[in-house]
Structures are given as structure tokens and as C-alpha cells.
């Protein structure tokens, strides 16, 4: 019985995209848009800008949540436990982000002539917001997708891409102990 109890009480590393990460994303968003949240403009104009801002924030959170797996609980059994996700590396604390991928092929050649992986901001900057919405979708909901014109085919998909951010790693060392912030204090 002691072995069964030990097996159930293992504490894997926490998922990199958790409630603390969401708090950080919200705080960064408010700081980036402080003039919007602090006032200015007419009521209708301000509400429209606020809604656009919150839509942008919700998309950022959704893209982050999609790219990072959720740590589900394992199911205890008589002999041990059944993993909630058989492909999951339990102690993987790598943070991932959703990237927008475009692959271009010509004719019957299976080797692509172009293969780009872009952040959403880079995709919008390179191709325009309407193009991103039409072929990828704001959250990648149109993927996988392809368009063929003559002998040229463009393939659209979203991929999970590891975030290599030195400042985030340094910030985690300095702020390793997070404190709870009440909603009214955020």
C-alpha cells in the first residue's frame, strides 16, 4: 500500500502556462495599453477601443493556452497509475507559443520552395490582417488549409514553437516567489 500512495503523491513540475502566467499576460497588456485603461476619448470610442483591446488579450491567452499542454491528473490504479496523456513529458517546463506556418510548393515537387514559421504579429505584418484571418484564422481555426493557384500550392498550419526568452528566465529567478494579487489590485 505504501508504494501505491507514493505513486499517487508524485508532484510533477507545474505547467508553464498557468494562472500566474495569465496574470503576467494581463498585467503586461494593461501596462502596454495604460492610456486606454486610464481614460481619454468619448464613451462610445473608449468602449470600442477597450473591446478591441480585450479581444486582442483573449486571443493572446488562447494562443498561449493552445500551445502549452495542460497537466491533467493521472488515474491511480492498483499497479501504479495511467497517464492522462501518453505523449506528455511530465517534467517538461518549457514554455511554448503558437506560430503560424506557411509552406509553398510548385508543381509535383514534394520539396517546398518556401517554409516560414511566423509569430501572429509577424504574419500580420508580412501578409496583412485580412489574409491571416482568411487562411489561418485568428486562432488557427481554419488550419490545416491550402490554396492552389496554377502550379503553386500554399499550405497553412499552426505549430507549437518553443519560446527562447532570456529575460523571462532571468525574471523567473528574481521573482521565483509569486504572491497572490487580488483582482482589484491588478
Amino acid at each position: 500500500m505504501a508504494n501505491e500512495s507514493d505513486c499517487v503523491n508524485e508532484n510533477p513540475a507545474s505547467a508553464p502556462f498557468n494562472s500566474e502566467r495569465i496574470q503576467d499576460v494581463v498585467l503586461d497588456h494593461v501596462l502596454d495599453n495604460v492610456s486606454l485603461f486610464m481614460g481619454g476619448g468619448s464613451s462610445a470610442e473608449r468602449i470600442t477601443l477597450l473591446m478591441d483591446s480585450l479581444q486582442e488579450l483573449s486571443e493572446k491567452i488562447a494562443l498561449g493556452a493552445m500551445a502549452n499542454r495542460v497537466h491533467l491528473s493521472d488515474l491511480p490504479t492498483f499497479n501504479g497509475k495511467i497517464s492522462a496523456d501518453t505523449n506528455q513529458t511530465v517534467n517538461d517546463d518549457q514554455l511554448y507559443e503558437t506560430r503560424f506556418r506557411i509552406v509553398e510548393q510548385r508543381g509535383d515537387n514534394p520539396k517546398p520552395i518556401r517554409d516560414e514559421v511566423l509569430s501572429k504579429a509577424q504574419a500580420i505584418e508580412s501578409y496583412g490582417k485580412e489574409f491571416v484571418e482568411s487562411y489561418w484564422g485568428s486562432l488557427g481555426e481554419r488550419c490545416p488549409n491550402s490554396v492552389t493557384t496554377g502550379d503553386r500550392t500554399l499550405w497553412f498550419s499552426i505549430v507549437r514553437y518553443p519560446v527562447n526568452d532570456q529575460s523571462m528566465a532571468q525574471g523567473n529567478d528574481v521573482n521565483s516567489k509569486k504572491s497572490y494579487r487580488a483582482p482589484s489590485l491588478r
Side-chain angles (χ1 to χ4, degrees):
M1 288 291 196
N3 289 340
E4 184 180 28
S5 177
D6 292 342
C7 194
V8 174
N9 290 330
E10 289 178 9
N11 291 325
S14 65
F17 198 88
N18 54 22
S19 59
E20 289 177 356
R21 176 78 178 142
I22 291 173
Q23 287 176 352
D24 291 343
V25 170
V26 170
L27 179 62
D28 289 344
H29 183 77
V30 170
L31 292 175
D32 289 344
N33 298 287
V34 72
S35 63
L36 177 64
F37 290 99
M38 297 307 283
S42 69
S43 296
E45 178 185 355
R46 187 156 191 255
I47 288 172
T48 302
L49 291 173
L50 183 60
M51 292 306 295
D52 290 345
S53 173
L54 293 175
Q55 175 67 29
E56 178 185 326
L57 174 61
S58 64
E59 287 178 7
K60 187 184 295 185
I61 290 173
L63 287 169
M66 287 186 327
N68 293 279
R69 72 187 184 300
V70 177
H71 282 281
L72 300 174
S73 298
D74 293 331
L75 176 65
T77 66
F78 290 111
N79 295 330
K81 59 185 172 182
I82 299 171
S83 176
D85 180 1
T86 56
N87 297 319
Q88 172 180 332
T89 304
V90 176
N91 294 319
D92 180 12
D93 62 351
Q94 173 69 49
L95 181 65
Y96 296 91
E97 64 185 0
T98 301
R99 292 284 184 109
F100 291 68
R101 184 177 183 200
I102 184 170
V103 176
E104 181 178 352
Q105 292 179 298
R106 297 258 183 189
D108 294 332
N109 187 0
K111 186 175 179 181
I113 61 171
R114 179 176 59 158
D115 188 353
E116 287 183 291
V117 179
L118 308 164
S119 68
K120 184 175 182 183
Q122 291 170 328
I124 290 172
E125 183 179 317
S126 296
Y127 299 104
K129 187 172 183 164
E130 294 78 22
F131 186 92
V132 170
E133 290 289 333
S134 296
Y135 296 104
W136 279 290
S138 187
L139 299 174
E141 64 271 15
R142 299 196 196 303
C143 296
N145 191 7
S146 68
V147 174
T148 302
T149 308
D151 71 337
R152 177 179 158 201
T153 302
L154 296 174
W155 298 90
F156 302 92
S157 62
I158 58 169
V159 295
R160 183 177 184 220
Y161 199 81
V163 175
N164 267 341
D165 187 5
Q166 294 287 8
S167 64
M168 184 184 76
Q170 291 172 355
N172 284 343
D173 292 341
V174 173
N175 299 322
S176 61
K177 184 173 193 269
K178 301 267 183 174
S179 61
Y180 174 76
R181 293 182 294 194
S184 61
L185 299 176
R186 289 185 195 152

